[in-house]
């Protein structure tokens, strides 16, 4: 009897209690998003009504149309979208190559060099923003999207991605590559045909990290961009103000809701790879 109870797992009542507790704990995380989405359908007066309402009394999509009237929001949305996509692809390429090299190619001082690379995670972006501006200004790349692409791909976000990829490649059995080496594959062939196809979970985690970082980037766009048509979403969200400089809350919430959609889609599509990638990180050192 006792053995059967252990095999059946938690009782139905225990599961209900557990799910109920999880729902309660999820409220602080879900409610801000719920409030943002529902408030984007309210008028400005209803947003600050007391007592507050969970659902709009008279839902309206007018604020969404005004988002595109007050600013070149479509162009700004496209800017964030394509920059995040390019940064994600570039980070995947750089981090997977670097992570594979640190995991499989043994050379004198490779561990020390990897520690030096990891130091990049300890340097705040605010410390390097002035020299980066001077460098890109000298190259004539200020008020272009190049700084927003090159800095994340070769900066601290790529260092974190390299760490994730290195730990994943270390955990891969070396026997898989031995079989490929017997078939005549070189180092690049082993990476491309064996290691990279098996690293989908880690690549999924890196893709989410890279996309989120680029999509939410705010300091660099403020420093490097000055033309409204070249703004990205985080910078654009600060521009919805009235004639007196006050925030247009309904329009801002509508724009914020639109800006959250790609993030939710990316996470839903790649959440399984994200969890598996993190689970494999740190298995071996």
């Amino acid at each position: 009897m006792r053995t059967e109870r252990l095999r059946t797992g938690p009782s139905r009542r225990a599961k209900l209690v557990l799910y109920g507790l999880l729902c309660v704990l999820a409220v602080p995380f879900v409610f801000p998003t719920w409030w943002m989405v529902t408030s984007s359908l309210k008028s400005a007066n209803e947003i600050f009504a007391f007592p507050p309402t969970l659902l709009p009394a008279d839902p309206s999509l007018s604020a969404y149309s005004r988002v595109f009237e007050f600013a070149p929001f479509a162009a700004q949305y496209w800017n964030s979208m394509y920059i995040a996509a390019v940064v994600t692809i570039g980070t995947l390429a750089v981090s997977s190559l670097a992570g594979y090299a640190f995991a499989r190619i043994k050379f004198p001082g490779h561990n020390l060099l990897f520690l030096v690379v990891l130091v990049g995670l300890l340097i705040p972006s605010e410390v390097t923003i002035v020299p980066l501006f001077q460098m890109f200004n000298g190259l004539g790349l200020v008020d272009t999207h190049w700084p927003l692409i090159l800095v994340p791909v070769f900066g601290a976000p790529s260092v974190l991605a390299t760490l994730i990829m290195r730990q994943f490649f270390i955990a891969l059995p070396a026997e898989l590559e031995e079989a490929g080496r017997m078939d005549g594959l070189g180092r690049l062939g082993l990476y491309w045909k064996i290691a990279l196809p098996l690293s989908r979970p880690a690549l999924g985690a890196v893709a989410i990290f890279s996309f989120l970082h680029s999509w939410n980037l705010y300091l660099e766009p403020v420093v490097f961009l000055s033309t409204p048509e070249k703004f990205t979403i985080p910078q654009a969200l600060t521009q919805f103000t009235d004639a007196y400089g006050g925030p247009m809350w309904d329009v801002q919430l509508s724009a914020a809701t639109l800006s959250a959609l790609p993030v939710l889609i990316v996470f839903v599509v790649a959440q399984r790879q994200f969890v598996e990638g993190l689970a494999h990180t740190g298995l071996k050192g």
Side-chain angles (χ1 to χ4, degrees):
M1 293 291 293
R2 186 175 298 176
T3 304
E4 291 180 358
R5 288 185 179 179
L6 290 175
R7 289 180 178 177
T8 56
S11 64
R12 187 165 186 170
R13 180 179 297 178
K15 289 183 178 180
L16 290 175
V17 172
L18 177 60
Y19 291 152
L21 180 61
L22 291 175
C23 290
V24 172
L25 294 176
V27 170
F29 302 96
V30 176
F31 181 75
T33 303
W34 171 268
W35 185 86
M36 177 184 69
V37 175
T38 56
S39 296
S40 68
L41 303 174
K42 301 177 182 178
S43 63
N45 293 331
E46 189 180 358
I47 292 175
F48 296 100
F50 187 83
T53 57
L54 293 178
L55 293 173
D58 185 18
S60 174
L61 296 175
S62 61
Y64 285 90
S65 61
R66 291 160 61 197
V67 168
F68 298 93
E69 295 174 1
F70 285 98
F73 193 73
Q76 296 163 350
Y77 206 92
W78 166 250
N79 293 338
S80 284
M81 186 68 71
Y82 97 82
I83 290 174
V86 172
V87 167
T88 301
I89 295 173
T91 302
L92 288 174
V94 172
S95 63
S96 61
L97 284 169
Y100 181 79
F102 281 119
R104 288 290 189 256
I105 302 176
K106 307 300 180 183
F107 54 89
H110 73 280
N111 287 328
L112 178 61
L113 179 60
F114 184 66
L115 289 177
V116 173
V117 173
L118 290 182
V119 172
L121 292 174
L122 306 177
I123 302 176
S125 58
E126 294 81 3
V127 175
T128 59
I129 193 66
V130 173
L132 284 174
F133 179 83
Q134 294 293 339
M135 181 183 72
F136 285 114
N137 188 42
L139 296 173
L141 298 179
V142 173
D143 202 25
T144 69
H145 292 151
W146 281 109
L148 309 185
I149 296 174
L150 296 177
V151 173
V153 170
F154 297 101
S158 189
V159 174
L160 177 61
T162 300
L163 172 63
I164 295 175
M165 297 304 301
R166 173 185 179 270
Q167 298 305 106
F168 189 90
F169 286 133
I170 287 177
L172 284 179
E175 291 78 7
L176 296 173
E177 295 188 4
E178 292 297 332
R181 191 174 284 108
M182 293 179 62
D183 291 337
L185 292 177
R187 180 62 68 181
L188 189 59
L190 294 173
Y191 157 80
W192 183 254
K193 294 186 177 181
I194 297 179
L196 193 63
L198 294 175
S199 63
R200 289 180 59 186
L203 292 173
V206 170
I208 291 180
F209 275 129
S210 303
F211 188 90
L212 287 179
H213 180 269
S214 178
W215 187 264
N216 295 324
L217 205 62
Y218 179 74
L219 176 63
E220 284 78 0
V222 170
V223 172
F224 292 112
L225 301 179
S226 58
T227 304
E229 287 76 13
K230 298 179 181 179
F231 286 177
T232 56
I233 291 295
Q235 190 178 6
L237 292 178
T238 64
Q239 306 299 311
F240 295 105
T241 57
D242 57 25
Y244 301 98
M248 304 168 63
W249 290 107
D250 53 342
V251 179
Q252 283 191 352
L253 290 171
S254 300
T257 301
L258 292 174
S259 68
L261 291 178
V263 176
L264 294 176
I265 293 173
V266 169
F267 186 79
V268 168
V269 170
Q271 62 177 332
R272 183 175 180 181
Q273 287 78 8
F274 176 73
V275 174
E276 291 181 2
L278 293 183
H280 283 84
T281 302
L283 290 180
K284 294 184 180 181

